[in-house]
Amino acid sequence: MRVAMIGAGYVGLVSGACFADFGHVVTCIDKDASKIARLNAGQIPIFEPGLEQLVAANVREGRLSFSTDAADAVGAADAVFIAVGTPSRRGDGYADLSYVHAAAEEVAAMVQGFTVVVTKSTVPVGTGDEIEAIIARARPDADVAVVSNPEFLREGAAISDFKRPDRVVVGTEDERAKAVMRELYRPLFLNETPILFTTRRTSELIKYAANAFLAMKITFINEMADLCEAVGADVQQVSRGIGLDGRIGRKFLHAGPGYGGSCFPKDTLALVRTAADAGSPVRLIETTVAVNDARKAAMAAKIASALGGDVAGKTIGLLGLTFKPNTDDMRDAPSLAIVPALQAMGARIQAFDPEGHEAVALMSGVHFRTSAYEVADGADAVVLITEWDQFRALDLDRLKAGMRQPVLVDLRNVYNPAEMKARGFRYSSVGRP
Ligand SMILES: NC(=O)c1ccc[n+]([C@@H]2O[C@H](COP(=O)([O-])OP(=O)(O)OC[C@H]3O[C@@H](n4cnc5c(N)ncnc54)[C@H](O)[C@@H]3O)[C@@H](O)[C@H]2O)c1
């Protein structure tokens, strides 16, 4: 199959490289010329484990290429994927569909022959209808089927998620489009991955329902963590105690500083808007959004209370700034709420993240360091915000030796409270005595 992937970001680049690895001929298109120039020079613009090797191998074998110009690839494509961003619209929380609409206009001008136009971006219910209308208006002669195929990959494990997904969801009732989608995902068919064919609207909603449910699950355990702190229970054991129940499941039950990232915050908000507009409000998700926002804001106070309530003039060292480990993605990371709140209380911040280089542009007044030990140097407290592997096995004596006070706030429950106490730390974590 010939595939054109519009948008070479976290989803487009990974999906494009994986489809190429399945044996298809893929062109990833992005209007960001510097991104395409880097890709053509063999550089990967994002940090995603395994992606560099996967891209290099498929470029070498002639199945994967990059361009700023969509015309040739779209004209020749059996399937054109739209994988552009759908961020929150400023101010109102609706998904900003301007990139999707623009991509649909461009595709409309270029399609030739029967083409399946696949929305991989996360888009509100009814967006497929809009894309269909845009194409029909611009090119009444075009022979296209507009399909929804939401993506469920996680940054940091994106390649294995794409190649070994729990399921693939395809929203279309068009038999020709189903055949193309089956062929595209053929290696997964052979693997017996469940492929769920639904209507387009159902498929669009499945993606939001999945993300909202996971965000709710995280928020649930975060509230349980607060309750554990109030009543002297241990949230990790609560997680295990409930997670071993197969009806509940163990994943997404890790208490922490609140969910962030490129998807949950914007997708929960967008679902709230969609549901309200449809006259069918999703109150659990409205509450999830509010609880999570409040939680991120409350983390600075938690850190301050570990230092006796006052951080004015104190130096606080932060370990990890990205929204989770194994990605360089800073979108809606909890650190973006924690840093300015601590600064507003008068704290001086020094920080290190192995890959979160974008933080330099997003945070002002932060002293960036190049290792955990530099972050601890002269610090009144060290706060573990993102659980990168290298922060799980720190030389704690060395860390403590550089600190002004041995205060460690572990927002990811990586360390053992009893051991930390034995090593002389004033240690606090989330939802544990
Ligand atoms: N990041 C994730 O983990 C993830 C997971 C599942 C689904 N999604 C969804 O996938 C979509 C893309 O997310 P992302 O994280 O890859 O975004 P991203 O911002 O990393 O990438 C989007 C890319 O599209 C490009 N682009 C925008 N308009 C274009 C156009 N008209 N032509 C060509 N290129 C264009 C941008 O330059 C950018 O490189 C979003 O809807 C997101 O919700 C993301």
Side-chain angles (χ1 to χ4, degrees):
M1 295 256 118
R2 301 191 80 88
V3 174
M5 184 71 64
I6 312 284
Y10 287 85
V11 164
L13 185 55
V14 170
S15 308
C18 289
F19 276 133
D21 214 47
F22 286 172
H24 306 301
V25 177
V26 181
T27 308
C28 288
I29 295 136
D30 206 291
K31 62 179 183 188
D32 180 341
S34 69
K35 198 174 265 189
I36 294 300
R38 289 182 66 184
L39 285 163
N40 277 326
Q43 296 164 11
I44 304 296
I46 56 171
F47 176 79
E48 179 60 47
L51 188 57
E52 189 170 354
Q53 297 84 322
L54 189 75
V55 167
N58 284 282
V59 167
R60 204 165 43 238
E61 289 173 26
R63 289 190 300 263
L64 181 61
S65 59
F66 307 100
S67 177
T68 52
D69 180 8
D72 289 348
V74 170
D78 299 291
V80 178
F81 281 80
I82 297 178
V84 301
T86 49
S88 259
R89 209 162 68 183
R90 239 171 241 288
D92 65 12
Y94 283 91
D96 177 353
L97 292 175
S98 57
Y99 302 101
V100 170
H101 291 160
E105 298 277 2
E106 288 157 24
V107 170
M110 296 164 182
V111 278
Q112 291 172 29
F114 176 63
T115 311
V116 182
V117 176
V118 191
T119 314
K120 222 178 211 335
S121 299
T122 302
V123 293
V125 175
T127 305
D129 303 356
E130 293 172 18
I131 294 172
E132 200 169 74
I134 287 171
I135 297 175
R137 213 166 31 238
R139 280 280 305 281
D141 61 307
D143 186 13
V144 298
V146 177
V147 171
S148 161
N149 172 221
E151 183 49 56
F152 298 97
L153 64 76
R154 293 163 300 171
E155 289 173 16
I159 294 168
S160 61
D161 281 353
F162 192 92
K163 290 187 160 187
R164 284 176 288 281
D166 292 333
R167 78 316 203 175
V168 172
V169 174
V170 177
T172 183
E173 289 163 287
D174 183 300
E175 291 303 326
R176 288 187 301 170
K178 282 186 193 171
V180 169
M181 297 304 288
R182 269 196 205 99
E183 184 58 26
L184 280 170
Y185 284 107
R186 206 156 71 93
L188 301 186
F189 263 104
L190 299 177
N191 259 350
E192 297 187 356
T193 301
I195 312 234
L196 184 64
F197 285 99
T198 71
T199 67
R200 198 163 58 200
R201 283 180 167 247
T202 301
S203 167
E204 289 168 338
L205 188 55
I206 285 171
K207 174 64 191 176
Y208 282 99
N211 275 359
F213 189 86
L214 294 172
M216 191 175 65
K217 204 171 173 191
I218 293 173
T219 305
F220 174 84
I221 203 65
N222 283 339
E223 283 204 315
M224 285 300 129
D226 287 349
L227 183 56
C228 284
E229 286 179 17
V231 301
D234 181 334
V235 76
Q236 272 183 319
Q237 291 181 21
V238 172
S239 285
R240 198 166 150 70
I242 63 173
L244 286 169
D245 184 330
R247 294 169 301 178
I248 295 173
R250 294 168 66 172
K251 294 181 179 164
F252 282 76
L253 284 181
H254 302 288
Y259 62 78
S262 62
C263 293
F264 289 177
K266 76 172 177 66
D267 292 348
T268 45
L269 264 184
L271 180 62
V272 164
R273 295 290 177 261
T274 298
D277 286 356
S280 178
V282 283
R283 293 189 359 242
L284 278 174
I285 307 308
E286 289 171 15
T287 304
T288 297
V289 169
V291 169
N292 192 65
D293 285 349
R295 182 169 193 83
K296 285 203 227 172
M299 286 300 116
K302 182 179 175 69
I303 295 163
S305 89
L307 276 167
D310 183 13
V311 296
K314 304 262 170 66
T315 296
I316 297 181
L318 306 181
L319 299 180
L321 299 170
T322 52
F323 85 93
K324 67 175 180 181
N326 293 324
T327 181
D328 57 350
D329 202 335
M330 287 293 302
R331 286 178 280 186
D332 273 316
S335 66
L336 293 172
I338 293 171
V339 166
L342 287 173
Q343 287 172 327
M345 294 179 203
R348 182 181 174 281
I349 306 293
Q350 48 195 35
F352 166 61
D353 189 284
E355 295 292 338
H357 312 299
E358 208 197 338
V360 177
L362 296 173
M363 296 173 175
S364 61
V366 172
H367 302 269
F368 289 95
R369 302 290 188 240
T370 57
S371 77
Y373 304 103
E374 282 184 22
V375 158
D377 208 20
D380 293 284
V382 165
V383 184
L384 200 164
I385 299 183
T386 313
E387 69 280 30
W388 286 89
D389 275 348
Q390 59 174 278
F391 302 148
R392 290 177 178 274
L394 292 168
D395 178 342
L396 293 168
D397 293 333
R398 185 176 162 202
L399 198 80
K400 192 167 112 222
M403 294 177 69
R404 204 174 292 153
Q405 303 183 54
V407 174
L408 202 140
V409 183
D410 179 358
L411 297 182
R412 300 291 182 170
N413 291 348
V414 164
Y415 287 98
N416 178 298
E419 278 174 25
M420 295 304 283
K421 193 169 172 215
R423 284 173 173 275
F425 280 95
R426 293 196 334 254
Y427 175 81
S428 51
S429 57
V430 180
R432 298 188 300 178

